Amino acid sequence: MLDAACVIDPRFCGGTAAAMASDIAAFLEAGLRVGLAEVRSPYLDGAPERRSPAIAALCEDPRIERLEPDAARPVTARTVFLHHPMTFFYGIRTPLRLRAEKTFLVAHHLPFRGDGSLQYDPIATAHRVARATGARPLWLPVSGLCRQQLRSFTPFIRLGALDWPNVFDLAAWTPGRQAFSSRKLVIGRHGRADPLKWPDTAADIAASLPRLADTEIRVMGCPRADLEQIGADLSDWAVLDFDAQPVAGFLDGLDVFVYHFHPASSESFGRTVAEAMLMGAVCVLDPRLAPTFGDLALYCPPSGTAGMIEKLRRDPAAARTLAARARTAIAQRHSLASVPERLAALHSAAAAAPGPRYAPPLEVLRKTLGMIRRGEYFPSHLAARRRGPGAA
């Protein structure tokens, strides 16, 4: 029997794939026997068909047992982790029968969008997991905000008592330079080239990465055509394709990491922010990330970014102190070494404690009916929407 098995659509890139890869690295470091199963969901039908780099690297690791979906031969493991709820809300094409002591669905994605509408229904997702795998999953939120949103669907979903935040191999995230140590500042950001990862107006995009004296702007991962279409001026930016260089190396060159995102979008955790903190950058963030990162960052709307950066420039010692404190806190909370203890706690934890809900039951029902009216609820409709008009 495997100690742990992970299930993912291999086309995931960015934070979801990196988070699972880090979990597996921690399992292996603890001497566990680990399996990896690849599934395909219509949710990622618009993505490239190849494996993402993080998943491809896992498939090359001889310590990991590759598991083929086969309805006649169940995956047997003490613990199974299903990664990303949108995969299972849309449904998986090949049934994967599971036989496990505990099956967890890791919620890398918030159920509610930034505008308050539902982007998936956890109750329907749990039912679809049960039909496809035979397992009744316990949900593992990756943050406190995610837990609060998922509580809105209890008692109709089984919510795990513990969160499952992202972890990092600290040896791979060691800064080689100190922020605010030279006259010229470098500000920038990194992430998937998705318009939802950016503000929705040219003015807010310009304000989020302001043109200041003695300042350079660097970006890795930019939906250039989408931003230029709404009038954003990228002419002064140094732009790299997503993952054009190792993320740690890119972040090591920044003094300030800035991250504002679309009003209709949401961030369940914000792995790219934690990575920037580990690499010693000061983070200036969208206020919606404050519940996750608290006093480890500074918060403002895009219009406040320039003033925030100039304030940091006037007191570089205070900026370096903030960066050092953030790095220490993230390293303590999110190291690979924390995973074995958390894994053991998952198996012995009592039921999840009650707490504040993001939305009351009647509001959840209203939003669910809204999903149905928009044609975003049933798997056959979802698959057609992802494939696009006229697709087979």
Side-chain angles (χ1 to χ4, degrees):
M1 178 189 289
L2 295 168
D3 295 301
C6 293
V7 181
I8 194 171
D9 188 319
R11 296 169 292 176
F12 269 109
C13 60
T16 297
M20 190 194 73
S22 296
D23 286 351
I24 289 179
F27 297 154
L28 294 172
E29 191 172 290
L32 302 184
R33 185 181 168 198
V34 182
L36 174 65
E38 300 176 61
V39 295
R40 296 280 170 149
S41 169
Y43 176 59
L44 290 181
D45 276 358
E49 281 302 304
R50 63 181 180 276
R51 295 183 180 107
S52 68
I55 306 301
L58 289 176
C59 291
E60 295 298 320
D61 192 323
R63 298 172 296 173
I64 298 171
E65 298 186 32
R66 300 284 306 286
L67 307 172
E68 297 297 331
D70 184 345
R73 297 179 57 193
V75 171
T76 303
R78 182 164 189 254
T79 313
V80 172
F81 293 91
L82 308 174
H83 284 272
H84 208 291
M86 293 295 275
T87 300
F88 300 93
F89 180 60
Y90 274 72
I92 56 177
R93 291 201 165 93
T94 304
L96 177 73
R97 309 310 293 175
L98 301 176
R99 185 179 296 153
E101 292 182 24
K102 293 279 183 76
T103 299
F104 297 105
L105 179 51
V106 184
H108 300 276
H109 212 57
L110 296 173
F112 294 96
R113 296 186 179 94
D115 62 6
S117 64
L118 269 179
Q119 48 194 341
Y120 69 89
D121 175 8
I123 300 171
T125 303
H127 285 303
R128 291 166 191 174
V129 167
R131 285 201 302 269
T133 70
R136 294 181 62 230
L138 277 161
W139 288 71
L140 291 186
V142 298
S143 68
L145 175 60
C146 187
R147 174 172 294 277
Q148 183 182 18
Q149 290 202 6
L150 288 172
R151 278 199 194 104
S152 302
F153 302 88
T154 57
F156 302 105
I157 65 168
R158 303 168 67 223
L159 186 58
L162 303 175
D163 292 345
W164 194 256
N166 288 198
V167 294
F168 302 87
D169 180 356
L170 299 183
W173 299 92
T174 303
R177 63 183 288 274
Q178 188 176 52
F180 288 84
S181 56
S182 64
R183 183 170 177 269
K184 185 174 185 178
L185 288 185
V186 181
I187 66 175
R189 50 176 288 165
H190 156 262
R192 286 186 293 108
D194 183 340
L196 290 176
K197 298 287 186 181
W198 291 79
D200 63 339
T201 68
D204 279 349
I205 290 167
S208 180
L209 292 172
R211 292 173 169 85
L212 303 171
D214 296 318
T215 301
E216 179 183 351
I217 300 171
R218 297 180 190 170
V219 174
M220 186 162 74
C222 175
R224 181 186 290 273
D226 296 282
L227 301 191
E228 290 178 339
Q229 186 174 11
I230 62 173
D233 180 5
L234 285 55
S235 59
D236 291 345
W237 298 4
V239 179
L240 296 173
D241 289 340
F242 179 64
D243 282 350
Q245 71 179 81
V247 176
F250 173 80
L251 294 173
D252 199 26
L254 302 185
D255 297 290
V256 182
F257 179 89
V258 181
Y259 187 48
H260 296 97
F261 51 97
H262 198 285
S265 187
S266 55
E267 286 285 349
S268 187
F269 174 68
R271 184 179 179 88
T272 188
V273 175
E275 291 170 344
M277 289 177 174
L278 286 173
M279 294 308 298
V282 176
C283 291
V284 176
L285 306 176
D286 190 301
R288 288 173 287 173
L289 289 167
T292 300
F293 295 103
D295 64 357
L296 304 182
L298 302 173
Y299 305 92
C300 64
S303 60
T305 306
M308 194 76 75
I309 291 173
E310 293 294 11
K311 183 178 179 180
L312 290 166
R313 195 200 296 265
R314 289 194 294 271
D315 193 349
R320 289 192 291 268
T321 298
L322 173 59
R325 181 164 58 81
R327 185 182 193 282
T328 298
I330 294 296
Q332 289 174 344
R333 298 175 192 174
H334 300 282
S335 71
L336 293 188
S338 68
V339 170
E341 183 178 345
R342 286 200 282 126
L343 183 59
L346 283 179
H347 280 270
S348 59
R357 295 170 180 261
Y358 178 81
L362 286 178
E363 181 71 6
V364 171
L365 177 60
R366 186 182 68 80
K367 292 177 183 296
T368 303
L369 292 173
M371 279 193 82
I372 294 171
R373 286 195 298 270
R374 295 192 303 271
E376 297 178 351
Y377 194 83
F378 297 104
S380 58
H381 298 165
L382 293 167
R385 290 165 69 92
R386 294 296 292 192
R387 285 195 299 268

